[in-house]
Amino acid sequence: MYARRRRRYFALMGLCLGLFVLAWAVVRLWSVPAAVGMCAVAMVIPPVAAIVANRREPDDHWWDVPDDSWLDDEPLDDSWRRFEHYGQQTGDDHRPGGDDGRP
């Protein structure tokens, strides 16, 4: 599935590059408006290639698995808010001992 997407992406990007090179190396000698038109078409291809490369396919199941790993970083309660509020009011940095950092 990934190889199929990668092949489609590189085929579209190769077509884009080929259009640019062909437009300004060959076609411009006969028709500048045709070369500009080819470049306009080539300009649209990279976003389309990105969409095609990131499109979900029927056999992609990794989209269906929820990623709940961010929940592991959540604190168990809101006690950290009390300490944060206290530190903002008094300017205390919550180190034990005096201001020099010794316990």
Side-chain angles (χ1 to χ4, degrees):
M1 75 184 133
Y2 298 117
R4 193 176 337 155
R5 282 194 217 151
R6 198 173 27 230
R7 277 193 302 264
R8 287 183 202 147
Y9 177 78
F10 284 124
L12 284 169
M13 292 307 287
L15 177 66
C16 174
L17 188 60
L19 280 173
F20 272 119
V21 170
L22 187 65
W24 295 113
V26 178
V27 176
R28 73 171 171 89
L29 300 173
W30 287 281
S31 174
V32 172
V36 170
M38 288 173 67
C39 285
V41 170
M43 180 179 65
V44 175
I45 293 175
V48 172
I51 291 169
V52 167
N54 290 313
R55 188 176 60 196
R56 179 182 181 199
E57 294 183 1
D59 57 345
D60 288 339
H61 296 292
W62 61 271
W63 293 73
D64 301 332
V65 178
D67 181 25
D68 294 337
S69 62
W70 61 273
L71 291 173
D72 297 338
D73 296 335
E74 292 290 317
L76 298 177
D77 59 3
D78 287 340
S79 62
W80 59 273
R81 290 185 186 211
R82 180 176 27 132
F83 294 120
E84 183 178 273
H85 181 70
Y86 176 75
Q88 287 177 354
Q89 281 184 345
T90 63
D92 187 16
D93 57 1
H94 306 295
R95 285 186 294 185
D99 290 332
D100 57 358
R102 289 183 284 157

